[in-house]
Amino acid sequence: MKIPTLPATLATMTLVVAALTGITAMAAAPQAGPASASSSPQGTVAAALPADSVYQLDARLTDQDGKSFNLAQRRGQPMLVGMFYTSCEFVCPLLVEALRNTEARLTAQERARLSVLLITIDPVRDTVAVLKRTASQREIEAPHWTLARSDAATTRKLAAVLGLQYRALPNGDFNHSTDLILLDAEGSVAARTAQLSGVDPEFLRRVKLSAQ
């Protein structure tokens, strides 16, 4: 099941990040950006993040192999992002297939320049062990694809900055947005699509451009 997403303009995302994290969205100083040391050559200072970058959010995640990482460590490479939960029986498998279908239309070089991150909206039940089992069952290609979890509060903030919504139902299921999101190398939303059947041609075009 899904609920309609609210329009996710870049200005809206900037206000959400500022409200949730206390980060001043206007021109953060270089030392305030949460970029990892690997984002810049040793001995250099990383450039300030754009005000609308999701990497402004200090979000710690754990992947299907139990390795912890900060979201901002993904800076420097475009990334496809979605939110899901492992016990979802209909929409989430379609979301995974939509990502695979999009990737299948890329060249090997383009795929090598792009990563995929799926973040669970059900961190209580989606433990590392569950994510690991799901990755195996669905033949998720690690480390190119990452299934990740965080704490409930951080998960909610991540959804907000990505312009996604979700709501737990009494039966344990979730109503949730199913958009696929393309982040550019600096963590700004470059494109998004709600199309899960086939391949969205405009979204694919933007993905290919980002992977040049």
Side-chain angles (χ1 to χ4, degrees):
M1 300 177 64
K2 62 175 286 186
I3 55 177
T5 59
L6 296 177
T9 63
L10 297 183
T12 301
M13 289 177 58
T14 300
L15 292 174
V16 171
V17 173
L20 290 172
T21 67
I23 297 172
T24 302
M26 296 289 291
Q31 63 269 24
S36 68
S38 62
S39 299
S40 300
Q42 187 174 4
T44 66
V45 177
L49 287 166
D52 61 2
S53 172
V54 302
Y55 299 147
Q56 294 276 10
L57 180 65
D58 184 13
R60 196 76 181 168
L61 299 100
T62 303
D63 69 16
Q64 70 263 33
D65 293 319
K67 298 176 183 177
S68 294
F69 64 97
N70 194 286
L71 181 64
Q73 289 177 246
R74 297 303 179 96
R75 185 183 188 186
Q77 184 182 46
M79 182 167 63
L80 293 172
V81 183
M83 299 191 81
F84 80 122
Y85 65 106
T86 63
S87 59
C88 178
E89 296 181 349
F90 177 64
V91 175
C92 296
L94 289 178
L95 186 149
V96 172
E97 287 308 306
L99 285 167
R100 283 187 165 138
N101 290 338
T102 300
E103 271 203 322
R105 301 285 292 274
L106 304 177
T107 66
Q109 292 79 11
E110 290 167 343
R111 286 194 297 272
R113 298 186 184 107
L114 192 73
S115 61
V116 179
L117 175 63
L118 286 170
I119 304 166
T120 179
I121 57 176
D122 188 12
V124 173
R125 292 183 296 181
D126 286 344
T127 63
V128 169
V130 171
L131 293 179
K132 182 72 171 178
R133 184 173 67 246
T134 300
S136 176
Q137 291 172 341
R138 297 186 179 175
E139 300 180 336
I140 296 297
E141 180 189 351
H144 182 61
W145 281 52
T146 302
L147 305 186
R149 67 185 303 279
S150 189
D151 59 84
T154 300
T155 302
R156 184 65 68 180
K157 291 176 183 178
L158 281 165
V161 299
L162 290 169
L164 301 176
Q165 299 176 331
Y166 64 92
R167 178 170 60 89
L169 300 174
N171 66 355
D173 288 339
F174 287 81
N175 276 347
H176 64 101
S177 307
T178 56
D179 289 20
L180 303 180
I181 297 170
L182 171 66
L183 298 181
D184 67 18
E186 292 296 283
S188 299
V189 174
R192 66 194 306 135
T193 182
Q195 180 176 323
L196 299 184
S197 61
V199 175
D200 182 332
E202 177 58 22
F203 185 72
L204 177 63
R205 185 185 72 83
R206 298 294 296 273
V207 171
K208 281 181 164 291
L209 283 174
S210 73
Q212 297 303 311

